[in-house]
Amino acid sequence: MAGHTENEITIAAPLDLVWDMTNDIERWPQLFSEYADAEVLTRQGDTVTFRLTMHPDENGKVWSWVSERTTDRDKLTVTARRIEPGPFEYMNIRWEYEETPDGTRMRWTQDFAMRPDAPVDDAGMTDIINRNSPVQMALIRDRIEQAADERRTSPVTPA
């Protein structure tokens, strides 16, 4: 049995700002609470290969992996996969963005399978992701909405 999750949130901010901030991988440690470091390894066109390193878990273990992420601005989608899957047999992620009357809807869909020797099975990881994704999405929403508010309230400098 494979794992599958879908989580979404609406951010009261313009699509361009949401797109730019959520696709600025180097700044992910300031956007997500779980990442200690995000290092871009290569860029080829719309594809970025990068290493993510998490803060230590409750047992002091630091998890790190390499992923590949491809943006499609025209379709408002991003596809990503872990190149170093670690405890996963595979992990594929799709981000979708949509303009709505209330702002920008951002949806994350994750499809994965855990290795037999992983610390949790597919159902356990599904639960973990479904608990953590809303927390991270809320942080992202709050940080982007704060940036949008700052842009709206910044004084305009005459030309």
Side-chain angles (χ1 to χ4, degrees):
M1 177 182 129
H4 175 84
T5 65
E6 291 184 29
N7 290 276
E8 69 178 48
I9 196 163
T10 299
I11 303 168
L15 173 65
D16 287 339
L17 181 61
V18 175
W19 178 269
D20 291 345
M21 287 184 71
T22 59
N23 286 295
D24 185 354
I25 294 167
E26 290 94 341
R27 295 191 48 86
W28 277 10
Q30 290 81 47
L31 200 58
F32 292 81
S33 65
E34 60 191 344
Y35 300 136
D37 190 41
E39 176 190 4
V40 170
L41 304 173
T42 64
R43 289 185 193 276
Q44 289 187 294
D46 293 327
T47 300
V48 178
T49 303
F50 58 99
R51 174 172 294 284
L52 286 176
T53 303
M54 296 184 78
H55 294 287
D57 67 16
E58 63 277 357
N59 300 315
K61 176 149 177 61
V62 175
W63 297 91
S64 182
W65 63 91
V66 173
S67 290
E68 179 181 84
R69 182 176 172 84
T70 303
T71 59
D72 186 333
R73 183 66 170 87
D74 292 337
K75 293 182 180 175
L76 300 176
T77 61
V78 178
T79 54
R81 67 182 181 91
R82 283 191 180 199
I83 295 173
E84 293 177 0
F88 294 91
E89 286 183 24
Y90 65 89
M91 167 60 91
N92 298 316
I93 305 170
R94 180 176 176 87
W95 293 38
E96 297 172 278
Y97 301 81
E98 179 185 353
E99 284 187 286
T100 74
D102 297 321
T104 303
R105 182 178 302 123
M106 180 177 68
R107 175 180 304 183
W108 297 345
T109 304
Q110 294 172 273
D111 290 297
F112 59 90
M114 302 307 295
R115 294 184 187 274
D117 61 343
V120 296
D121 61 11
D122 293 341
M125 183 54 71
T126 298
D127 290 341
I128 290 168
I129 291 170
N130 280 331
R131 277 194 315 269
N132 188 51
S133 289
V135 170
Q136 295 304 312
M137 290 178 135
L139 284 171
I140 291 166
R141 177 201 59 215
D142 294 348
R143 290 171 178 167
I144 294 174
E145 288 179 356
Q146 179 181 359
D149 287 344
E150 289 169 0
R151 288 182 181 196
R152 282 192 286 269
T153 59
S154 294
V156 176
T157 306

